[in-house]
Each structure stands twice: as structure tokens, then as C-alpha cells.
Amino acid sequence: GENVEQHPSTLSVQEGDSAVIKCTYSDSASNYFPWYKQELGKGPQLIIDIRSNVGEKKDQRIAVTLNKTAKHFSLHITETQPEDSAVYFCAASISGTASKLTFGTGTRLQVTL
Amino acid sequence: GAVVSQHPSRVICKSGTSVKIECRSLDFQATTMFWYRQFPKQSLMLMATSNEGSKATYEQGVEKDKFLINHASLTLSTLTVTSAHPEDSSFYICSARADFGVETQYFGPGTRLLVL
């Protein structure tokens, strides 16, 4: 089955700096890669996703890049703010009726003033 | 749009009792719902996948007789933890997917279960 690795496990940046979180996946058939933000005591919230037919997607301060050959994808957050502090999870899945997400281990992002 | 609710948000129960958790898609019809369990500082672990009107598919190692799932309508799935024990204490989260051709899963706010 699919295996998703995520690094780093913790990340501390100063407000205004950029943060990058990286994930690798094992199954070359995976073609959908969402990123979720989870605040303490809450459910995960979808912040951005990318499909394998594109290499990059951007939404304001958030961007995701995908390298299918290397089987890795990254989340980039620019101009970080304290409210970006949370745990971020990457995930991968294969399209289809049996589609299910395989999650990475999570990255705890701390944005300091 | 794409709002998923869960009820209750937290529950405390005695060992041996059963607990039912509801998951609702509020503004869309969910052909597929998923149930996850998350222990502190860990990732989400998929427990089972449920499709409306059919039996749930459980992940390896998840006891189907202990974690009963019912997906009776396109907007409601329930998870019943039967004969709960302290080791079942966890954060249970559901998600819903709107259509077979769209992979996006929208998550509920989670239910924290504490079994005494």
C-alpha cells in the first residue's frame, strides 16, 4: 500500500518568514495530494490540494509543488503569521471509487513573533 | 460550503457502555464517509470507509463488531463504539466525500471520547 513520509516533524519560524514542509510518497499511481491544517482539538481543514496533471498550485500565501518523477510534493507558506501555527498533514490517494487518503505523520508549525 | 458536523463533540462514559457518534454533511450529499481515529500527537488512522446503503469496509486490525458503522442516508453516518474500554479513548473524526469522481474529503470537527 501507499506510504507517505513527512518532514520535518516540527518547524519553528519567525513571523514573516517562509515555511516549507516536504512529503514523499511510494505509490507512483497516486494522483491526488491534499494538505490539511489541524488546530488543537479540531478536525483537519483542507487548505490546498494538487492533482498529478499539474506541477504547482498557488492560493494567496500558500503554494504546493509536485514532482511526480521524484514522488515528492511540498507545501510552501510565505509571509507566515501567528495564526498559521498548527499541525499540517500531507496526504496522497489514487482516484477511483475505492479512493482513500494515506496521511503523512504531520508537521507542527510554530510561528513566533 | 462543504460543511461536516459531528455530535457529540466530547463524551465521557463508563467502561462497558456503548457510545454513538453522528457525522452529518450539512450542505452536500456524501456518497462516501470515512471514520478516523487520532491519538495525541499522532496522525490520522483510517478505521473504515462507508458508502450509503452498503456495509462499511474496515481497515486491517479494526474490529467491525466493536466499531459499528451505519450509513443510512446520503447525509448521515454513525459510529457506535460498543462495550467501550479505556483503550478506546481517542479523538474520532469523520470525513465526507461528495462524489465518486472527486477525491476531496471534508472533515468534521471531531469527537473526543474518554472511557473511564
Side-chain angles (χ1 to χ4, degrees):
Chain A
E2 174 68 281
N3 181 53
V4 178
E5 295 188 358
Q6 184 171 346
H7 300 281
S9 57
T10 60
L11 179 60
S12 182
V13 299
Q14 286 195 325
E15 182 180 8
D17 288 350
S18 296
V20 180
I21 303 171
K22 299 181 179 180
C23 288
T24 60
Y25 60 99
S26 61
D27 192 337
S28 57
S30 290
N31 56 4
Y32 174 63
F33 309 92
W35 285 88
Y36 288 89
K37 175 184 180 182
Q38 186 178 29
E39 297 178 346
L40 189 63
K42 298 183 179 181
Q45 177 186 7
L46 179 70
I47 57 172
I48 195 168
D49 57 11
I50 190 168
R51 288 175 171 80
S52 59
N53 57 344
V54 298
E56 183 174 357
K57 184 177 180 181
K58 190 174 182 180
D59 183 5
Q60 299 183 334
R61 298 186 296 109
I62 296 174
V64 58
T65 59
L66 171 65
N67 184 326
K68 287 190 295 182
T69 303
K71 290 189 286 188
H72 67 68
F73 55 113
S74 301
L75 177 71
H76 304 253
I77 305 175
T78 58
E79 301 174 22
T80 54
Q81 302 167 2
E83 51 265 39
D84 294 329
S85 297
V87 179
Y88 291 81
F89 290 98
C90 63
S93 74
I94 303 170
S95 297
T97 57
S99 173
K100 58 184 180 182
L101 294 173
T102 300
F103 281 87
T105 49
T107 297
R108 184 172 300 275
L109 173 64
Q110 180 70 45
V111 180
T112 59
L113 296 174
Chain B
V3 178
V4 177
S5 70
Q6 273 184 251
H7 179 80
S9 58
R10 58 181 63 190
V11 57
I12 301 174
C13 69
K14 293 182 179 180
S15 184
T17 60
S18 294
V19 175
K20 180 184 283 189
I21 302 170
E22 292 187 349
C23 177
R24 294 180 185 274
S25 56
L26 298 185
D27 51 1
F28 66 99
Q29 293 186 324
T31 51
T32 306
M33 287 185 169
F34 303 84
W35 286 96
Y36 294 84
R37 183 163 59 178
Q38 186 179 36
F39 292 107
K41 297 186 178 181
Q42 293 189 20
S43 188
L44 288 81
M45 292 184 59
L46 180 65
M47 299 175 66
T49 302
S50 73
N51 291 298
E52 185 265 339
S54 61
K55 290 184 178 181
T57 301
Y58 290 81
E59 294 299 302
Q60 191 172 9
V62 178
E63 300 175 58
K64 63 179 181 180
D65 294 330
K66 180 169 183 61
F67 299 100
L68 301 179
I69 293 172
N70 184 286
H71 192 163
S73 77
L74 287 173
T75 60
L76 173 64
S77 176
T78 61
L79 167 68
T80 301
V81 183
T82 62
S83 186
H85 292 286
E87 57 265 30
D88 298 323
S89 299
S90 188
F91 193 48
Y92 292 87
I93 315 172
C94 72
S95 71
R97 191 174 68 200
D99 183 82
F100 286 117
V102 178
E103 302 89 346
T104 305
Q105 290 185 29
Y106 299 96
F107 283 81
T111 297
R112 187 161 301 283
L113 171 63
L114 177 61
V115 184
L116 302 176

